[in-house]
DNA sequence: TCAAAAGTGTTTGGTGTACACCCATGC
DNA sequence: GCATGGGTGTACACCAAACACTTTTGA
């Protein structure tokens, strides 16, 4: 066939919300190029491997999350979606490498990051990384920018914010996700009404918790909705 | 490097609206695999070539549109955006080929399709193609589905419908685009009010036309807006 | 009893929808 | 004049922002 063979890789933008902070998982590169610089986790697609399979495998390597539904768990699967593909001829000094970027949204991980083969992996606040275009290796700043914009937009018209929450969560915990990702405060009372009245956004578990302090709050699971009508608004 | 070399290609979903019909440009394949079957135009990325450059080159080959701004023309550039990347290991019988799909929105072309190297190229109504999952070669039905969904969604919150219109257009011509792409009728009066009151969606040229019959209609250019607040609604 | 967070009620203004109605042209 | 599409006015329903207020817990 008449084509240039290229290296095919995937890069992962793994986002979470921890203690009200919107964070991304970065690794410190142990080998050249860009040795000792921060980068998104990623790697090459193996022979015969599907793109999403590569992404899930790397997600598991970095976070220990398999994306499989655990027995007894309600929500289960980790949200993973393709964002875009980056293929500038000079984006990797080693040669022609095209990278398919994936966005993963994970809840606050109970266990620390384990099983990573990177020199160091850590959660870093998204706003800090976005503010410094030179912090990341390769074109990863561009990739992160695109992925974060996608995530912020999707919170408006999809129930994706629940992907950041544990299996059972309170409305104010969900609101905390919106506030962290968007960086804006929301009215707790109108937010509560809007979420609970949008059909299939969340479903009550019948249980309550006082882990957030104050009056006990109802616990909810993710609902079955895939899009929100009307959308949540950012103001 | 430790990776499987793959063929890298781009496929194009070129959409237009002609006489109130929402259409896609398809080619009839002259060579195997899938000889004599309909497919999206596309081809391999050349050595050292950027992905979008490949897409623009193929767009020019199929339609004669360079995407360059013609002298004296207002709108100019053809809208071209990346949709997604398709990389299932068995999607091409010739071997591992990963394809980056691009979406192009073009106005009703004044000149016929020229300079095409395909056996045959023609405009086909989108709804007809979508209704028959076996009509297209490779995984092109999936690609078309994704691209059309993207286009339909983007009409809501971006001024992209103007990409289907000529340099100067009337509000009812713009409404015709929405109706063709969404497949739903819209109230002409409310549509007119909404479009003209959304800041920078369209800008008046000061001229009028009677080409649509009836009372002369004002002509507009595309405005400078990139997103629409509030969005257009599909009902 | 107080602080803190959950949740409900109510007012008020803006926005989309439906449709009556008038305007400017070609024939 | 009449048909045709362009464009404006307006009533009404709905929705969301703002905020007063009550509820239920822990300390």
């Amino acid at each position: 066939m008449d084509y240039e063979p290229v290296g095919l890789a995937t890069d992962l933008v793994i986002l979470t919300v921890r203690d009200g902070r919107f964070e991304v998982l970065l690794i410190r590169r142990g080998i050249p190029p860009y040795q000792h610089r921060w980068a998104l986790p990623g790697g090459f697609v193996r022979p015969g491997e599907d793109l999403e399979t590569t992404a899930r495998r790397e997600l598991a390597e970095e976070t220990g999350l398999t994306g499989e539904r655990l027995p007894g768990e309600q929500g289960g699967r980790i949200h993973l979606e393709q964002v875009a593909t980056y293929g500038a001829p000079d984006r990797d000094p080693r040669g022609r490498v095209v990278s398919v970027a994936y966005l993963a949204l994970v809840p606050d991980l109970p266990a620390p990051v384990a099983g990573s083969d990177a020199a160091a992996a850590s959660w870093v606040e998204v706003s800090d990384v976005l503010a410094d275009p030179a912090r990341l290796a390769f074109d990863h700043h561009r990739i992160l920018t695109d992925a974060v914009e996608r995530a912020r937009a999707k919170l408006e018209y999809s129930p994706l914010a629940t992907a950041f929450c544990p299996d059972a969560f309170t409305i104010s915990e969900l609101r905390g996700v919106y506030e962290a990702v968007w960086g804006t405060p929301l009215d707790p009372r109108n937010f509560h009404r809007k979420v609970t009245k949008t059909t299939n956004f969340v479903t009550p578990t019948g249980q309550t918790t006082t882990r957030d302090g104050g009056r006990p709050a109802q616990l909810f699971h993710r609902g079955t909705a895939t899009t929100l009508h009307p959308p949540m608004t950012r103001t």
Side-chain angles (χ1 to χ4, degrees), chain A:
Chain A
M1 278 187 291
D2 172 27
Y3 64 82
E4 172 193 33
V6 301
L8 181 64
T10 71
D11 285 310
L12 274 135
V13 178
I14 307 170
L15 300 176
T16 197
V17 173
R18 299 193 313 153
D19 303 324
R21 294 187 309 274
F22 183 36
E23 298 181 332
V24 59
L25 186 68
L26 297 180
I27 61 155
R28 198 181 276 277
R29 290 182 58 82
I31 56 166
Y34 295 101
Q35 192 171 12
H36 310 311
R37 288 277 293 281
W38 290 102
L40 297 172
F44 288 101
V45 176
R46 292 181 180 163
E49 192 176 47
D50 187 69
L51 296 175
E52 187 170 323
T53 305
T54 307
R56 284 210 182 271
R57 175 170 55 76
E58 280 158 4
L59 178 63
E61 287 171 6
E62 301 296 338
T63 65
L65 295 165
T66 63
E68 296 302 313
R69 187 184 301 257
L70 274 65
E73 200 180 357
Q74 262 275 336
R77 297 192 74 76
I78 302 301
H79 179 84
L80 185 70
E81 69 175 280
Q82 199 188 103
V83 176
T85 297
Y86 299 82
D90 58 351
R91 64 178 291 281
D92 191 316
R94 293 167 294 184
R96 185 84 198 245
V97 177
V98 170
S99 179
V100 183
Y102 278 83
L103 171 64
L105 306 184
V106 305
D108 187 358
L109 296 174
V113 175
S116 170
D117 60 351
S122 76
W123 293 106
V124 183
E125 199 146 359
V126 168
S127 59
D128 289 348
V129 186
L130 287 182
D132 178 7
R135 170 115 38 127
L136 298 184
F138 304 105
D139 51 1
H140 287 186
H141 185 82
R142 158 97 275 143
I143 297 176
L144 178 65
T145 302
D146 293 346
V148 166
E149 188 183 44
R150 169 83 65 96
R152 284 180 172 149
K154 274 208 139 181
L155 288 209
E156 293 186 14
Y157 58 88
S158 84
L160 225 71
T162 58
F164 288 113
C165 294
D167 184 39
F169 53 87
T170 67
I171 299 296
S172 77
E173 286 163 1
L174 184 63
R175 176 167 49 84
V177 168
Y178 276 92
E179 293 178 328
V181 174
W182 284 347
T184 53
L186 298 171
D187 185 293
R189 298 151 303 185
N190 292 332
F191 182 87
H192 184 281
R193 194 187 348 252
K194 188 153 182 177
V195 168
T196 52
K197 288 202 171 169
T198 301
T199 50
N200 298 321
F201 189 176
V202 296
T203 61
T205 65
Q207 303 196 290
T208 60
T209 181
T210 57
R211 65 191 178 206
D212 299 328
R215 170 176 168 180
Q218 282 186 265
L219 283 166
F220 294 84
H221 290 314
R222 301 179 237 286
T224 55
T226 54
T227 51
L228 266 25
H229 305 291
M232 308 297 290
T233 45
R234 228 148 150 166
T235 45

